[in-house]
Amino acid sequence: MVSGFASAGHMGMAEECFRDAPEKEDAVLWTAMVSGYMDAGNVDKAMEFFQAMPVRNLVSWNAVLAGYVKNSRAEDALRVFKTLVRDANVRPNESTLSSVLLGCSNLSALGLGRQIHQWCVKLPFSRRVTVGTSLVSMYCKCGDLEGACKRFSEMRTRDVVAWNAMISGYAQHGDGREAIRMFEKMKHKGVEPNCITFVAVLTACIHTGLCDFGIQCFESMQEAYGIEPRVDHYSCMVDLLCRAGLLERSVNLIRSMPFEPHPSAYGTLLAACRVYKNLEFAEFAAGKLIEQNPQSAGAYVQLANIYAAANQWANVSRVRRWMKDNAVVKTPGYSWVEIKGVIHEFRGESEGANANEAQ
DNA sequence: CTAGGGTTAG
């Protein structure tokens, strides 16, 4: 019940249940509170519970480790990992390693990642898929693509997740063609791609400018693999089409989506409209963005700039009035400089909906 | 109760 409330984000209820529990020594109960608060982003509360635990097991330690990483506190995660290895009377397992390697990735701490890699080779479970995949991912994110390839080739079994890590690694490093080659190889080996595979492949297409192949993938994921595209797939497609200058196709795709697109899709479109000087679609994209977030200045400014570039000054002032009517708050820009030990702060113009001087 | 893979604009 405690973990039920915790996973639903009702920490108040979870805490009530926790207090009423008959067995106070139960590590499972305490760990549910720790991970519940970690998931809710309340690291301090989570650690209060962890410190107060009468009995800790490996899962409790892993919950703290994973929680720190999730809440972008990788340094703390690594600190906990050191104490875990040194003086906690628990032996790390796969999930310990996954979390700590992800922590290394977030810090781009390649040296430390390598050290942990060397150290974990000796462990009995080091050859499992999960550990291998975590290593591949860590090497990719720390910029050592060669290291990632080595780990990948050492793996005895490679499931979808392992392939996805390698494919997206190539895609992230701008080697879209190699990513696509891996994708073909994966299919050849009989591993079924899943929805995340296609996000990685579409990303690779974006980076490599392979518009037609991307469209082909998008279609085949539905027809050949029965995977329904999600918001992220649509976002990739919008980006792909926009970069190729196919604005109309991109708008049609957005219109055909069975759900609301991610706001960034409109942002991508708007930016592309500026490049390709398309006023009609710019109005459409900016309108949607403003509808979703009328107080934010970004879309108005973009739109006004597009009109200005087309010498449509009447429209520029229309956008300005529109901004005023919606009481747009422009977050003021700050800058500071240190002169002889004194910090001088400057604040940009904050009021006034002057679309030209913004940006 | 913990734990491996994911993207894009400016």
Side-chain angles (χ1 to χ4, degrees):
Chain A
M1 251 172 89
V2 171
S3 71
F5 282 127
S7 58
H10 301 307
M11 288 315 292
M13 308 266 249
E15 204 161 335
E16 261 174 54
C17 270
F18 175 82
R19 266 192 235 106
D20 296 340
E23 179 56 71
K24 297 291 185 216
E25 300 271 286
D26 187 13
V28 175
L29 204 57
W30 284 84
T31 307
M33 291 304 293
V34 173
S35 61
Y37 273 121
M38 283 297 196
D39 285 342
N42 195 340
V43 181
D44 293 340
K45 264 297 199 184
M47 290 315 287
E48 262 174 45
F49 273 90
F50 182 73
Q51 302 297 352
M53 281 181 84
V55 190
R56 293 177 194 136
N57 62 18
L58 174 61
V59 183
S60 333
W61 284 91
N62 286 347
V64 168
L65 218 51
Y68 269 138
V69 175
K70 245 184 237 163
N71 289 287
S72 36
R73 286 177 53 171
E75 310 90 338
D76 293 306
L78 293 173
R79 209 195 58 233
V80 168
F81 177 69
K82 278 177 198 147
T83 24
L84 183 153
V85 172
R86 213 182 37 226
D87 37 44
N89 46 359
V90 289
R91 291 273 135 252
N93 69 0
E94 294 120 290
S95 75
T96 320
L97 283 178
S98 293
S99 296
V100 82
L101 287 170
L102 186 58
C104 291
S105 307
N106 294 346
L107 294 174
S108 298
L110 179 59
L112 193 56
R114 278 196 184 124
Q115 248 176 277
I116 291 171
H117 169 214
Q118 298 308 330
W119 170 82
C120 87
V121 172
K122 292 172 259 167
L123 300 172
F125 52 84
S126 69
R127 295 194 57 84
R128 299 214 187 134
V129 227
T130 49
V131 177
T133 307
S134 293
L135 284 168
V136 168
S137 164
M138 182 278 292
Y139 276 106
C140 282
K141 287 177 185 155
C142 291
D144 183 359
L145 203 56
E146 208 180 305
C149 290
K150 270 193 202 133
R151 306 292 84 77
F152 188 71
S153 63
E154 283 164 8
M155 291 174 75
R156 290 170 295 161
T157 44
R158 298 179 197 119
D159 60 5
V160 226
V161 184
W163 282 96
N164 288 348
M166 203 60 240
I167 293 171
S168 59
Y170 278 120
Q172 274 162 8
H173 282 267
D175 198 345
R177 292 194 179 274
E178 194 53 42
I180 289 159
R181 218 167 288 143
M182 289 301 265
F183 172 57
E184 300 296 347
K185 208 166 158 191
M186 162 189 177
K187 288 191 288 188
H188 183 72
K189 298 254 176 185
V191 180
E192 272 279 282
N194 65 11
C195 58
I196 286 165
T197 317
F198 283 101
V199 174
V201 172
L202 289 176
T203 311
C205 294
I206 292 167
H207 290 329
T208 322
L210 292 171
C211 188
D212 291 333
F213 185 75
I215 294 169
Q216 210 180 298
C217 283
F218 186 70
E219 279 162 5
S220 84
M221 76 179 259
Q222 304 166 70
E223 285 152 17
Y225 298 98
I227 300 167
E228 275 312 306
R230 301 191 313 203
V231 207
D232 5 17
H233 298 110
Y234 281 103
S235 300
C236 288
M237 286 308 290
V238 168
D239 195 2
L240 192 64
L241 295 170
C242 280
R243 279 179 203 238
L246 303 170
L247 299 189
E248 191 169 354
R249 279 191 79 163
S250 167
V251 170
N252 288 337
L253 187 73
I254 289 178
R255 288 211 170 106
S256 74
M257 284 176 63
F259 33 69
E260 262 305 297
H262 190 88
S264 68
Y266 293 122
T268 307
L269 178 61
L270 189 54
C273 287
R274 188 174 185 175
V275 174
Y276 291 98
K277 307 192 192 318
N278 187 315
L279 298 176
E280 183 197 348
F281 295 146
E283 180 87 32
F284 166 72
K288 289 289 184 181
L289 281 169
I290 289 165
E291 206 176 282
Q292 286 168 346
N293 197 353
Q295 306 275 85
S296 150
Y300 300 94
V301 174
Q302 281 268 53
L303 184 60
N305 284 332
I306 293 169
Y307 280 132
N311 283 320
Q312 298 202 1
W313 302 104
N315 278 321
V316 173
S317 53
R318 211 191 74 228
V319 175
R320 249 186 242 166
R321 267 200 309 279
W322 195 6
M323 264 177 114
K324 227 170 205 161
D325 294 342
N326 287 343
V328 174
V329 234
K330 215 172 73 185
T331 32
Y334 276 95
S335 66
W336 52 92
V337 64
E338 192 190 302
I339 299 165
K340 290 182 184 156
V342 185
I343 293 168
H344 303 268
E345 194 180 74
F346 302 95
R347 185 173 192 247
E349 193 62 52
S350 61
E351 43 176 346
N354 193 337
N356 286 325
E357 58 145 339
Q359 252 206 341

